[in-house]
Amino acid sequence: MAVPRSCLIALVFAFALFSSTAVNALSSNYYENTCPKAESTITKVVKKAMLNDKTVPAALLRMHFHDCFVRGCDGSVLLNSTRNNKAEKDGPPNISLHAFYVIDAVKKQIEDLCPGVVSCADILAIAARDAVALSGGPTWDVPKGRKDGRISKATETRQLPSPTFNISQLQQNFAQRGLSLDDLVTLSGGHTLGFSHCSSFQNRIHKFDNSHDIDPTLQTSFAASLQNVCPMHNKVKNAGATMDSTTTLFDNAYYKLLMKGKSLFSSDESLLTTSRTKRLVSKYASSQEEFFKAFANSMIKMSSISGNGQEVRLDCRFTR
């Protein structure tokens, strides 16, 4: 699906982290002289992977989000656990992350082209952009120049926003990373891609509260369908539901369904609990173009959250 020209955004963006850590300036042309074929190589590998596995776009987008929300965008989510350390990728919220092989494949090709130049953190940021664009969504110029971090701890994945969060918890979580309430609503639109296991929305369809078995904000037939695939004592390991009705297409269906009571997570439903966030949900449900423009800008902002990386890994799974 062609990407609308109106959604092509070119920005050279430097963003200050919520901490006092100094930020390395990021630039859209960072590899122009040192590795000019880096982005085209990443796009080629991502496109090939998508042809073989339709879950790759959602996986790469989620992986990038989970990387940036723990220690900033430093590729720490890519590191393997060691005998003495359980890494982020093995923390409870990240157990279902996959498609790491795509990043490995990209890194191998880029190391052949430009040894020791392109960071794993930059590869992940660009791959996430390609995952969106190649799924029919917007594209943008990714600011580059991130360095790879050496620290990755499973315990720190508790910092990730939970699907059971209310709007206050979400707003605080995003604000700690320099992201606004508008960014929260916009980036939630990434839920247009992918699949969720029952455990992430079980709280809404069984024993919701003392008065309701099912979350009353859920549309009745939709709730029944969720209960059907996710019974109370579910024994099917990978049971769950798609995030929206066009699970492999990046579009604004997520917002349309949200307004009809057909969202999966409590965190999704929470976007309708304040006047400001509800207005944005309605705006994006009505205009895919507005959503695409905003999503590109918010992704640039999120992907520029500074990490403490100081190296360019030769293998994304291991520190030097």
Side-chain angles (χ1 to χ4, degrees):
M1 183 176 181
V3 179
R5 286 182 177 273
S6 61
C7 297
L8 183 62
I9 296 176
L11 281 174
V12 178
F13 196 95
F15 183 72
L17 181 59
F18 48 92
S19 74
S20 59
T21 305
V23 179
N24 291 322
L26 302 180
S27 167
S28 61
N29 61 355
Y30 188 83
Y31 298 113
E32 185 176 9
N33 297 319
T34 57
C35 196
K37 294 185 179 179
E39 288 204 50
S40 61
T41 299
I42 296 169
T43 303
K44 183 178 179 180
V45 174
V46 171
K47 189 173 185 178
K48 182 179 179 181
M50 287 174 59
L51 292 174
N52 296 322
D53 183 355
K54 64 183 180 180
T55 70
V56 162
L60 293 175
L61 181 58
R62 184 168 177 246
M63 192 187 300
H64 180 44
F65 182 93
H66 283 216
D67 182 41
C68 293
F69 266 60
V70 180
R71 292 189 167 271
C73 309
D74 66 348
S76 55
V77 75
L78 303 172
L79 287 170
N80 281 357
S81 293
T82 65
R83 179 179 298 179
N84 300 317
N85 179 67
K86 189 175 181 180
E88 287 175 35
K89 64 168 59 172
D90 293 319
N94 288 341
I95 293 297
S96 60
L97 289 182
H98 66 287
F100 292 101
Y101 71 91
V102 179
I103 304 302
D104 293 337
V106 170
K107 184 60 172 173
K108 185 178 185 303
Q109 289 196 26
I110 287 189
E111 283 303 306
D112 289 341
L113 286 173
C114 322
V117 172
V118 183
S119 69
C120 297
D122 275 350
I123 288 173
L124 181 52
I126 296 166
R129 185 274 313 275
D130 289 342
V132 170
L134 292 170
S135 298
T139 190
W140 57 91
D141 277 350
V142 176
K144 294 168 283 289
R146 301 164 189 78
K147 298 302 181 184
D148 296 322
R150 299 179 60 85
I151 301 172
S152 182
K153 296 181 179 296
T155 54
E156 294 183 350
T157 60
R158 289 176 295 190
Q159 300 171 23
L160 290 165
S162 166
T164 62
F165 272 8
N166 61 34
I167 193 65
S168 296
Q169 292 170 311
L170 288 170
Q171 185 173 11
Q172 181 180 17
N173 187 276
F174 274 62
Q176 288 170 346
R177 290 151 181 84
L179 299 172
S180 69
L181 194 61
D182 287 10
D183 293 319
L184 163 60
V185 178
T186 303
L187 292 172
S188 293
H191 288 171
T192 187
L193 294 176
F195 174 91
S196 171
H197 292 102
C198 298
S199 58
S200 293
F201 55 88
Q202 195 87 3
N203 66 303
R204 301 187 73 196
I205 58 174
H206 298 294
K207 297 183 178 180
F208 177 69
D209 60 25
N210 292 332
S211 303
H212 305 90
D213 186 44
I214 299 172
D215 183 343
T217 62
L218 280 170
Q219 198 266 350
T220 305
S221 61
F222 179 67
S225 70
L226 294 180
Q227 284 186 319
N228 186 49
V229 296
C230 300
M232 174 76 80
H233 302 293
N234 174 57
K235 295 182 180 180
V236 180
K237 183 178 180 181
N238 293 316
T242 56
M243 297 299 291
D244 74 15
S245 55
T246 56
T247 184
T248 61
L249 181 65
F250 195 96
D251 57 17
N252 66 337
Y254 162 80
Y255 297 103
K256 294 178 180 179
L257 293 173
L258 174 55
M259 295 189 69
K260 295 178 181 179
K262 295 182 178 182
S263 61
L264 288 185
F265 305 150
S266 295
S267 58
D268 294 324
E269 180 62 29
S270 76
L271 301 183
L272 299 177
T273 59
T274 76
S275 58
R276 182 178 182 85
T277 55
K278 188 174 182 178
R279 280 197 301 272
L280 265 184
V281 169
S282 178
K283 177 181 179 179
Y284 296 156
S286 300
S287 174
Q288 182 165 278
E289 183 176 3
E290 289 297 324
F291 166 49
F292 279 10
K293 289 178 181 178
F295 189 82
N297 281 316
S298 289
M299 282 296 292
I300 291 170
K301 190 174 178 181
M302 186 200 77
S303 73
S304 300
I305 297 174
S306 177
N308 293 309
Q310 297 179 340
E311 67 180 16
V312 173
R313 283 182 226 139
L314 302 182
D315 185 321
C316 293
R317 293 175 182 263
F318 307 98
T319 58
R320 285 190 173 188

